[in-house]
Each structure stands twice: as C-alpha cells, then as structure tokens.
Amino acid sequence: MKLLLSLSLLTLLASCTSNNTRPSAELPCRAAPATNRGLAYLSQGVGQAGTTVMDITDDTTNYGGKVVDRQGRDYSNIAFNAARRGDDIVYREANRYADLTMDTVDDGADFSARAIGRYPAVVSGTVKRGLFSTRKVYQSSLISYGDVVTDSYWGFWNVFRPQDPKPYMVGSLNDMHGGHAMPGSGWHCRLPEIPVEPVIQTSSKNPYTVSK
C-alpha cells in the first residue's frame, strides 16, 4: 500500500514539473486527488474495520439482549407461576380450614341447641309430673277430709236441723213481704205505712231548685 502511494506521488510530480514553471502548483490539482485515491484505500479499510466492529457490537448486543430478555422472561414466568400456584395453594387450604372451622362451629351450635331444647324439657316435665302426682295426693286428702267432715260433723248437725223454716225463724223485715219467696215466706204481714209530710210552698219559686 505504501509503495503504490509513493510511486503515484512521484509520477504526478514529474508530470506537473514538465508542463508548469511552478513545481508545487501541481500539488493541489494532481497530487491531492491522487493522495485522496491512495488514502481512500486506508479510509475504506478503516471504515470497513469500524463497520465490522459496529456490526460485531450490534450483533453481539442483539444476541445478548435476546438471550437476556428470553431468559429473564422465562425465569420471571417461572417465579410468577410458582407464586401464583403458591397463592392458589394457600387460598385453597385457607378456604378448606375455614370451612372446617365454621362447620365445626355450626355442628357445635346445633348440638347445643338440641341439648338446650331437650334437657330443660326433661327437668320441666319431671317437675310437672311431680306436681301432678302431688296434686293427686293433696286432692285426694282434701276430698277425703271433705267426705269425713260432711259425713261426720255435718251429718251430726243435720239431726238437729229443721227441715223447713218456721215463721218464728224470720230475722228480717223483708221476709214479711209476700212477694219474696224467702225462708219464712209462709208468714205474711203488711208492711207498716210511713206517713208522708206535705211540702209547704212559701213562694212562687221552688225552694228545692232555688240557689242563693
């Protein structure tokens, strides 16, 4: 590359000096394009190298990004799937044990209600039957007592009791009124007349209705 560049430079200098009195005047018109053409190989090489480096960087970065993205998504999906399943397990077991607890509470409440409804009924039924049995005893005692009193005490006094009331047994003036069928009604007598005094009117006004 350097050999070709030097040969082309010498050729341009020789051609320029043959036609112009100023040897350096040919540098911008002939040497510059030749130099640029020679340096173009270098710039092309550098550009190719830079492009290659950028391509490698791009491809490597793309490769790494795809790998990291895919692996990150895979492992994040694994983590979230595990978390979801763990949450499902916890939720399921929580519901299971909550149902077990509440079923146990309901069964206990049913049993308690059943016992409360049964055993007090046994006690109240026992008390009721005991009172009924006691009632039979004291009712029988009272009935027997009444029979004894009726058959003995009152039976004794029935001997001296007159069968029908007599006129001399009247103890009230009402018994003398014939309109009442009361003991002693066989003795009839007129009730005494009570004299009524006349009211003396002293003025034209009624004294019983006049107020001062």
Side-chain angles (χ1 to χ4, degrees):
M1 178 71 68
K2 291 180 180 180
L3 181 60
L4 293 174
L5 182 62
S6 60
L7 290 175
S8 61
L9 182 59
L10 290 174
T11 304
L12 290 173
L13 289 174
S15 62
C16 287
T17 56
S18 60
N19 296 325
N20 196 347
T21 59
R22 294 176 55 187
S24 61
E26 297 295 330
L27 289 175
C29 64
R30 294 179 182 267
T35 302
N36 287 330
R37 283 193 298 268
L39 293 176
Y41 294 103
L42 179 60
S43 63
Q44 288 179 1
V46 174
Q48 185 65 38
T51 302
T52 302
V53 171
M54 293 306 299
D55 290 340
I56 293 173
T57 303
D58 186 11
D59 294 337
T60 304
T61 305
N62 192 12
Y63 163 79
K66 288 184 177 181
V67 172
V68 172
D69 178 69
R70 183 69 271 161
Q71 296 303 314
R73 291 181 183 276
D74 290 342
Y75 284 103
S76 64
N77 289 335
I78 292 172
F80 281 112
N81 288 333
R84 290 189 186 93
R85 292 200 62 188
D87 182 67
D88 291 340
I89 292 171
V90 172
Y91 178 74
R92 181 192 65 200
E93 295 302 319
N95 283 329
R96 175 177 297 168
Y97 291 112
D99 289 339
L100 174 61
T101 302
M102 295 311 300
D103 289 340
T104 304
V105 172
D106 291 338
D107 292 338
D110 292 338
F111 177 77
S112 299
R114 178 173 175 267
I116 291 172
R118 295 177 69 188
Y119 290 101
V122 173
V123 175
S124 61
T126 303
V127 172
K128 182 178 179 180
R129 293 190 63 184
L131 292 176
F132 284 169
S133 299
T134 305
R135 184 183 67 179
K136 293 178 182 179
V137 174
Y138 73 75
Q139 283 183 349
S140 298
S141 301
L142 292 176
I143 292 172
S144 300
Y145 171 77
D147 292 339
V148 170
V149 171
T150 301
D151 295 338
S152 60
Y153 181 79
W154 294 112
F156 172 77
W157 288 107
N158 284 335
V159 176
F160 304 97
R161 186 184 66 183
Q163 297 297 322
D164 295 321
K166 303 299 181 181
Y168 58 82
M169 294 181 182
V170 176
S172 175
L173 293 175
N174 293 329
D175 295 336
M176 293 186 298
H177 193 272
H180 300 280
M182 300 180 67
S185 60
W187 182 56
H188 299 287
C189 180
R190 293 178 58 84
L191 293 177
E193 296 182 359
I194 300 176
V196 179
E197 297 181 358
V199 177
I200 301 173
Q201 187 174 0
T202 58
S203 63
S204 61
K205 295 182 180 180
N206 189 352
Y208 296 102
T209 59
V210 174
S211 60
K212 294 182 181 180

